[in-house]
Amino acid sequence: MHRLARLSILLEAEGYQVQVVHCIDARAAGAAVQERRFDAALLDAGLADGRLLTLLGKIGSPDRATPLYFLAERQSYAEARKLSEIGARTYLAGGTRLEEQLALDMLAARHRIVDSQPATAGPTTGNLDVLPRERLVAAMETLLARGRTKRHALAYLCLDIQDFRGINRLFGHRIADTVIRAVGQRLRANIRAADLIGHLGGDRFAIVLTQRTSLDAAKAVARKLLDLFAEPVNVSGETFRLNVVIGVTAAPDHGSSVDELLVAADTATESAKANPTSIASFAGTTQGDPATLHALSTDLHLAADRDEYLLYYQPKIDLASGSLCGAEALIRWQHPTRGRLSPDIFIPIAERNGSIEALTRWAMRRALRDRAALAAQGCFIPISVNLSAASLRSWRIVACIEETLREEAAPPGALSFEVTESVLIRDIDRARAVLTAVRDLGASISIDDFGAGYSSIGYLRTLPIDEIKIDRSLIATMLNSPRDRAIVHSIVDLGRALGFAVVAEGVEDQRTMQALTELGCATAQGYYISPPVQIDVFDQWRRGQSAERRRAAG
Ligand code: C2E
Ligand code: CA
Ligand code: CA
């Protein structure tokens, strides 16, 4: 068995979660260790150059919460000594029962760390760190349990950096990571020690005001935090002016469980994006032109029943053979007076006003009927339907999918669901459970927009996934940016290693398609192949394409 798999099994039996983070170089590895606050980290000694050692050495040894282990093919005494200086241990790959020894040492280190903490220390007495999501959620659970009988047990603020993708794209992930860290530190330095701050992943932070706070007081804190970003963030000689928005919620008014609060805060944050003050509380103001929004929102409730939606299809092709291997269904709304609307306009409204479920149901049904019509002509391809962020937070989606599949008598494998990466990271446990249930219904799961945000691929192993779709921003830049090309390459390799299908989306020209083929990417989708089109045009395209392939084959 693969060494890592074996070690994972041993550690998981001890209640650890093992995350694999693929790092391109030493700096990325250093940043990952620094940022994630793992219980322990096992690194490839091949990465251990001077830079990594300096970085790791700086993490602050005396109270280091992350014991470090290195795995080396071979190592000189001098190299081992350097590692031991930063408190790390090395294991040689050839050793027998290596995994057992490593697991035992990791466990021993855990006991040492836990024992060395003062008995009173705990997340609720104030924590001067930026917590990872799981630890923040655990701390909130404790606080909520404690404050169940009181009003305003706590306030939960969600801070979102706008247009962070742009920073990722223009400056690269490393600088983007550093900006994220700087934001975390700035927030930490400006809230009370008793309050908590967590990094929710991507460009989102959470601030929990743990002392009884009114909603107005929480909004005042939000304003103060917002003001902090009037000052730009300086990283690597660059100046970043960040545009942040904050959604404000309070328990128990907006929810009495962590889940409810997180959902409320997401909604509030969405509203904040459109609010001129950049702050909104849950059920607070809606965006931009309220009259238009209100009208659209009302109309959306009727759109599915009135059959005003249209489903467009965009083919996915197998790069090796050029043959059609699937299609993504993309919804449009033919509004009675406003014309054909893009999903970017109405999906966010549907998510907020609760009509998203009807929309998804409509899309699934339409997709299944069109798929059946194609199958009747001998074209058996799975259709991918997009699932929205909001849907994945509730179990209702599972029943909704099950009913639709049953009503349409769909064979297993008829549908595939695309879910975006950011949603998964935000609530990984819930997402994992819901996706597993969906997959048990015979649908496959695809991770959409992969690589777009600031994220790691470590969680992939723990999710029920069949396919990853490389975000079109990376595909668009891969020819001009060696860095992005390397990222695309590593995603392709990773997908292969983990047994996922890998699809490149947003392929706009022949050269990109060629480059993807060279990297070993199996599947492509994009305007160069075909834009999304209605089913009759799709069918024509399909026939033309298969005729062409028959001709080419002679
Ligand atoms: P997405 O899932 O990332 O869908 C791909 C988007 O990229 C589509 O935009 C598609 O038209 C566009 N695209 C395809 N090829 C190319 C290309 O070569 N270059 C460029 N620049 N773009 C390309 P569309 O159809 O406007 O959809 C936007 C988003 O709306 C989708 O992003 C998806 O998140 C959401 N969406 C669409 N249909 C549904 C649906 O039925 N349910 C839900 N929940 N969301 C949907
Ligand atoms: Ca998609
Ligand atoms: Ca996408």
Side-chain angles (χ1 to χ4, degrees):
M1 199 190 304
H2 190 275
R3 181 175 300 127
L4 200 55
R6 180 145 181 76
L7 182 64
S8 305
I9 291 168
L10 290 170
L11 290 172
E12 277 166 8
E14 300 289 345
Y16 277 109
Q17 262 194 10
V18 178
Q19 261 191 36
V20 182
V21 181
H22 293 256
C23 300
I24 293 172
D25 58 18
R27 264 183 67 182
V33 173
Q34 204 160 10
E35 169 106 350
R36 304 287 179 103
R37 304 188 174 272
F38 296 109
D39 296 305
L42 172 65
L43 295 105
D44 180 346
L47 285 173
D49 65 1
R51 263 196 314 182
L52 180 68
L53 297 186
T54 319
L55 246 164
L56 293 177
K58 274 198 215 136
I59 296 178
S61 354
D63 59 346
R64 165 180 291 137
T66 312
L68 301 173
Y69 304 90
F70 282 89
L71 200 57
E73 286 301 326
R74 67 184 87 77
Q75 198 171 47
S76 69
Y77 175 72
E79 284 162 339
R81 202 170 166 287
K82 261 195 258 157
L83 289 175
S84 97
E85 263 169 26
I86 61 160
R89 290 188 65 158
T90 312
Y91 295 81
L92 289 180
T96 48
R97 303 180 65 80
L98 170 76
E99 301 82 24
E100 279 87 348
Q101 192 53 52
L102 194 48
L104 287 171
D105 289 350
M106 283 188 175
L107 288 173
R110 168 168 73 177
H111 293 138
R112 267 205 321 281
I113 292 163
V114 173
D115 290 350
S116 69
Q117 271 175 5
T120 52
T124 54
T125 53
N127 192 319
L128 296 177
D129 287 336
V130 177
L131 304 173
R133 189 178 192 289
E134 311 80 63
R135 279 176 53 198
L136 184 86
V137 167
M140 280 171 71
E141 263 155 13
T142 315
L143 286 164
L144 284 172
R146 204 204 269 163
R148 197 135 282 165
T149 52
K150 300 177 191 136
R151 285 192 60 70
H152 292 307
L154 57 83
Y156 177 79
L157 279 55
C158 176
L159 179 144
D160 189 291
I161 309 172
Q162 302 293 279
D163 307 324
F164 196 72
R165 273 189 189 197
I167 296 184
N168 246 325
R169 211 169 295 160
L170 287 174
F171 295 92
H173 289 240
R174 283 186 220 146
I175 290 192
D177 288 2
T178 318
V179 172
I180 286 288
R181 267 198 301 286
V183 170
Q185 283 156 8
R186 186 174 290 186
L187 290 170
R188 182 63 266 181
N190 286 281
I191 57 171
R192 286 186 292 197
D195 295 336
L196 303 176
I197 149 144
H199 181 210
L200 299 177
D203 47 15
R204 284 209 165 186
F205 286 89
I207 299 105
V208 182
L209 309 179
T210 59
Q211 277 151 6
R212 289 221 262 152
T213 323
S214 71
L215 195 55
D216 283 339
K219 281 194 204 158
V221 173
R223 267 191 298 278
K224 189 184 111 182
L225 294 178
L226 211 61
D227 288 345
L228 294 176
F229 294 92
E231 269 306 294
V233 170
N234 295 309
V235 161
S236 306
E238 301 281 350
T239 301
F240 297 93
R241 288 194 180 281
L242 302 179
N243 174 13
V244 308
V245 301
I246 302 181
V248 182
T249 55
D253 297 34
H254 302 144
S256 46
S257 71
V258 174
D259 272 355
E260 284 166 351
L261 275 183
L262 296 187
V263 172
D266 270 356
T267 313
T269 311
E270 289 309 309
S271 312
K273 286 183 186 169
N275 203 327
T277 63
S278 300
I279 295 177
S281 60
F282 180 57
T285 50
T286 41
Q287 57 186 339
D289 168 5
T292 310
L293 260 161
H294 186 256
L296 279 180
S297 176
T298 313
D299 295 348
L300 257 178
H301 281 296
L302 304 168
D305 283 346
R306 290 185 179 167
D307 232 5
E308 289 170 356
Y309 292 130
L310 300 169
L311 209 51
Y312 278 43
Y313 295 94
Q314 188 174 34
K316 293 181 188 174
I317 63 159
D318 175 65
L319 279 171
S321 64
S323 59
L324 175 68
C325 60
E328 176 175 6
L330 293 154
I331 202 159
R332 309 285 180 257
W333 180 16
Q334 187 66 43
H335 188 278
T337 55
R338 295 172 203 269
R340 194 160 301 178
L341 301 178
S342 140
D344 289 332
I345 296 174
F346 61 86
I347 296 274
I349 309 176
E351 286 180 342
R352 255 178 290 157
N353 78 2
S355 61
I356 189 72
E357 191 176 316
L359 180 152
T360 307
R361 199 185 277 269
W362 184 93
M364 283 192 286
R365 183 167 295 152
R366 185 71 264 156
L368 285 170
R369 291 181 185 171
D370 290 337
R371 193 211 66 92
L374 287 170
Q377 300 169 54
C379 169
F380 297 91
I381 50 165
I383 308 257
S384 309
V385 170
N386 289 278
L387 282 188
S388 100
S391 307
L392 275 184
R393 297 200 195 94
S394 154
W395 285 100
R396 279 216 313 274
I397 189 67
V398 180
C400 172
I401 293 173
E402 184 175 20
E403 271 166 37
T404 313
L405 289 173
R406 189 164 11 92
E407 282 163 16
E408 299 298 320
L415 287 189
S416 167
F417 291 99
E418 298 191 2
V419 295
T420 62
E421 196 190 1
S422 58
V423 186
L424 296 176
I425 295 180
R426 244 170 253 170
D427 190 348
I428 184 105
D429 294 330
R430 169 70 60 96
R432 185 187 296 120
V434 169
L435 288 180
T436 304
V438 171
R439 203 165 181 240
D440 287 345
L441 297 174
S444 58
I445 307 289
S446 174
I447 302 297
D448 208 351
D449 305 340
F450 189 80
Y454 156 90
S455 66
S456 100
I457 41 197
Y459 65 89
L460 271 188
R461 229 188 96 250
T462 73
L463 286 171
I465 304 174
D466 304 281
E467 179 182 271
I468 46 189
K469 296 187 79 174
I470 310 175
D471 189 63
R472 57 181 189 270
S473 65
L474 283 170
I475 303 299
T477 48
M478 67 178 279
L479 289 184
N480 298 323
S481 154
R483 192 193 65 96
D484 288 353
R485 189 188 171 102
I487 295 176
V488 171
H489 196 172
S490 60
I491 298 176
V492 168
D493 286 348
L494 173 91
R496 194 180 298 144
L498 295 179
F500 304 138
V502 179
V503 181
E505 67 175 14
V507 177
E508 293 187 356
D509 53 59
Q510 207 276 331
R511 282 175 58 226
T512 305
M513 192 147 103
Q514 181 60 34
L516 285 163
T517 313
E518 281 160 17
L519 296 184
C521 180
T523 313
Q525 174 183 346
Y527 292 162
Y528 179 66
I529 299 153
S530 162
V533 290
Q534 285 189 273
I535 188 68
D536 48 343
V537 181
F538 179 84
D539 202 35
Q540 264 170 22
W541 176 90
R542 173 183 77 79
R543 289 161 193 271
Q545 195 236 14
S546 67
E548 197 175 304
R549 281 191 34 253
R550 274 199 302 277
R551 261 199 311 280

